[in-house]
Amino acid sequence: MHDLVSFLPLVITCTGALLLMLYAVCPKAEQEKASLMSMGFFAVAFFAQLLVVCTVSRPLFPETFNGMLGVSGFTNAACLIVYACGFFTTLSSHTYFRENHFATVEFYSLLLFSAVGMVLLSMARELITAFIALEIMSLAIYVLVGFNRASSRSTEAIFKYLILGAFSGAFFCMGTAMIYGAAGSTRFDSIAEWLAFNPATTPLMLGGAFFLLITIFFKISAFPFHAWVLDVYDGSSNPITGFMATALKTAVFAMIANFLALSGNLHDSWITGLFWIAVFTMFGGNLIAIGQDNVKRMIAASGIVHSGYLLIALVAINSEYFSGAVIAYYLAAYSVATLGMFAALSWLGGEGEKRVTFDDFKGLAKRQPLAAATIAVFLLSMAGIPPTAGFMGKFYIITSAISAGQIALGVLGIISSIISMWYYLRLIVSMYFHDAEEDFIVDGSSLASISTVALAVAVFAIGLFPLVL
Amino acid sequence: MDQLLLNSGFPILSVLIFLPMLGALVLLLIKDEENCRWTALAFTTVVALLSLTLLSGFDSTTARFQFVEMRPWIEAFNINYTVGVDGISILLLLLTTLIMPFCVLVSWTYIKKRVRAFMICMLIMETAMIGVFVALDFVLFYVMWEAMLIPMYLLIGIWGGPRRIYASVKFFLYTLAGSVLLLVAIIWLYMQNGYSFFIPDMMWQSYSTSAQMFLFLAFFLAFAIKVPMFPFHTWLPAAHVEAPAAGSVILASLLLKMGAYGFLRFALPITPEATAIMMPWVLWLSIIGIIYGGFTALAQSDMKKLIAYSSVGHMGFITLGIFTLNLDGIEGAVLQMINHGVTTGALFLCIGMIYERTHSRDIESATGIGKYMPVYITFFTFFSLAAFAFPGTNGFVGEFMIIAGTFKYSLSQGNFPWLALASIPGAVLAAAYMLRMLQRKIWGREHNPDNSWLKEHDLNIREIITLAPFLLFVLWVGLAPKPFLNIMHSSVSALVQNFATCQAKAVAIAGTILN
């Protein structure tokens, strides 16, 4: 019974997705109502998950479904983040689709489906399950990325993402097969057992892990698999970009952390590689971000940088501070700021996303002081300036890196965060230090505007009272 | 915990920290601009008055931290909210709280657009600055240290002059970059000290020399940029020139003190060995700063730039005093920190007042105004005299003590006092550039621009009220510095004492290794 209780949120989301799919065939179906419904499902799932976290204290059933799925404090945190992301994405979509008219009821159903995939992925304790979850998530996301069929940019984005995603899916299968060949099982704990007695550097194991990591790096947009991010993020609609940048990244990081944490052996053989990938991801992302004129592309590139910081935490995963909590905290902090950013963009972007470049936001502070202030808060949090959540997240990551003996990585992380300040400041400069060129007539009472304010408050709340730890 | 003296009772430091914050929140609810000004003035004044009550409860016979509060904050990392003051920080705290009301007053008519946002920035700034001076937990310190940047950045960027964007971004990135290694150093110390961020616990520990060198480097980079020491000073003139008058005052009087305070609070006690090794270099850098600042100031025609470069010189004197590591030098340096805060702050206020009238900061455009604005020029003359350490003003006392300390340092090393001699031209240069400006402003040349219309625009009551306390302070410290020295004496002498003990220990250890 307990097993099922902790799957309750997942069941709710899944039911929601199916119900919305059924609702879509009703002749009178309206996308506004569907968005409200999906908001409700996400909210209920979130609180159900919160209930599970609060009431069930003992570690739950390592053996659910024959060890295919597992729940820990870390996965719970990841699931909470995913549900919260889903909730706020629906809020921003609600506002976004008042100005942009290509939504249908299925949009929200797919959003719920992708959340199902993400939750499963973070719970996966077995490679085949992980693959299925990954595909549930990815297929829904592919459709969501290309939802605006009238836009050629959107089509380009979906095409790129689909082709590359298909490749990475194939790599994942390949890696799974090789690991199965080496260890004789696809279950994480069995692989760990095998690794305890055998070196992780046998060709099959090494190769299998290599292919798995390629897929993971692709999904989290780590160097050198980051090139797709800019076009895909740019081509998707604002709410979906926000959802991809946060929830998807959370789920994939949860999965890889579970996988790498299972055995120090495996982790050790990859640590040098991870080190360099973290460094290149941070600095490569920064270089790309500095060159952008488009806010969405800048945030996309900065998402690469944030993956780099999270990789630092992965490198330090076996230090005495278990970095599961650190990763979860950072993901929460990052998600709040990024979601807030995209909620604000959905709200201010206007019809056909006409406000996208830095120059388009000139003088926003004069016309919409609240919006400008919240965006500034999100940017400062992403940059890691105290007393925001982003600072605390970075602080924990640096602390865990240094306690794992990776002082160089810690220093590089801070240097990178200072470089990143440059492009975050640019947006603040155009919002605050320039005169307005237009009136920014937007609907101030929309749901997205409310959610930006809520998220901005959350940035400080999480930063000053980090309860996740 | 013997460094602590727990004053039970009223949490006055927390009140001081969060009252301006509360003021900022209250301002959010006020629409009317005039009311915003009055509210900001009320909050800063109440904070100033409250901070004065600290003096009555402060025990100046001990070097321990007082008015201490300690509450758990983030338990997972053993981060506490710990605040307290000693003889050094209480003076800087008082400087901060007492200067802020005047910053509000000088912005009364100077700031015309977005008054509410301006006042909110000022109040948040005050919270962060007070936080830096009273924090005894390293994370709390770092949070406040960095949080200071944002309101200052906005102050320069929104209400600044024509090149404000360049200046604000340079200020932000430069000072942020300085703190890169500081955070790493903090975390390293945390690991070394049994997972504690409590600052007094980190002091006077025997870290290895190489670790100390690394820590010192981290501290030096962060604090030298903030001071700013030559050659890290380039952000300062840009920021000063573009900032609005109140912003310049905050920068010069308070922000620059953070760096010097950082040296005293962290570099000296945490890395004494490395400090001793690096001392000669830092001393000569200070000398270069003094001379360089003096010559550059001499070449300026923009009054704000002139004062900005003179700050580089004055801060050179302060770091010189700190790194002589004897009682006279450090006491002189702390006193000079207060003095510089007051006189340079007052000079920036004066320049802001003339700028409000003529809309120019050029010396040439304000020549010969002595005839038309006698009250203004009287104030200005006194502050200028204080700036180049004329006997009888506060600057003389501080600079005299610093130079005396420098002499003592050289003599104790058995050297010819080159350092002290080298700093003298700095004092002469200060007289040269200040008198040059003063002469132009009072009398000017044969043909002055017609400024007779200023006759009706001499200082008004609000401006006189703003400047008078500064003048009072200049003369008070100049003629009777004893009360101020008394407050800091125990803390500074404990610092010097501990430093000497640490040195002796290190020498003894080195001796046993050699034997």
Side-chain angles (χ1 to χ4, degrees), chain A residues 336 340 370 373-375 377-378 388 450-461:
Chain A
V336 168
L370 188 65
T374 51
I375 292 180
V377 168
F378 299 136
T388 57
I450 298 165
S451 70
T452 51
V453 175
L455 287 165
V457 173
V459 165
F460 287 114

Side-chain angles (χ1 to χ4, degrees), chain A residues 386-387 391-392 395 399, chain B residues 65 69-71 73-74 77-84 128 131-147 178-193 195-205 207 214-220 222-223 258-259 261-271:
Chain A
F391 166 71
M392 281 298 167
F395 177 75
T399 307
Chain B
F65 288 100
E69 293 164 47
M70 198 170 195
R71 291 193 192 84
W73 178 18
I74 301 167
F77 278 80
N78 197 13
I79 298 170
N80 295 302
Y81 169 82
T82 322
V83 291
V132 165
F133 287 132
V134 302
L136 289 184
D137 182 278
F138 231 141
V139 176
L140 184 66
F141 171 83
Y142 191 80
V143 166
M144 294 296 189
W145 175 266
E146 296 281 324
S179 330
V180 177
L181 291 175
L182 184 61
L183 184 60
V184 180
I186 291 174
I187 295 170
W188 189 86
L189 283 166
Y190 164 72
M191 306 277 167
Q192 290 294 310
N193 283 289
Y195 299 102
S196 157
F197 282 112
F198 186 54
I199 294 170
D201 275 354
M202 297 175 178
M203 297 177 178
W204 317 116
Q205 306 284 336
Y207 309 113
F214 165 73
L215 289 172
F216 185 83
L217 182 74
F219 290 147
F220 183 78
F223 301 142
M258 308 271 164
Y261 173 74
F263 278 126
L264 281 173
R265 174 68 75 236
F266 304 110
L268 265 53
I270 296 178
T271 61

Side-chain angles (χ1 to χ4, degrees), chain A residues 320-321 365-366 380 385-386 391 395-396 398-399 402-403 414 418 421-422 425 429 432-434 464 466 469, chain B residues 73-74 77 114 139 142-143 146 150 153 157-158 164 168-169 172-173 176-177 180 184 187 190-191 195 197:
Chain A
E320 53 192 297
Y321 279 103
K366 287 220 182 86
L380 291 172
I385 300 292
F391 166 71
F395 177 75
Y396 296 146
I398 306 291
T399 307
I402 292 178
S403 75
I414 301 177
I418 286 170
M421 203 57 229
W422 170 251
L425 278 188
V429 165
Y432 276 88
F433 301 167
H434 286 285
L464 294 173
L469 288 169
Chain B
W73 178 18
I74 301 167
F77 278 80
R114 294 156 87 180
V139 176
Y142 191 80
V143 166
E146 296 281 324
I150 304 164
Y153 167 71
I158 300 180
R164 59 188 200 279
S168 58
V169 172
F172 196 104
L173 290 181
L176 189 69
V180 177
V184 180
I187 295 170
Y190 164 72
M191 306 277 167
Y195 299 102
F197 282 112

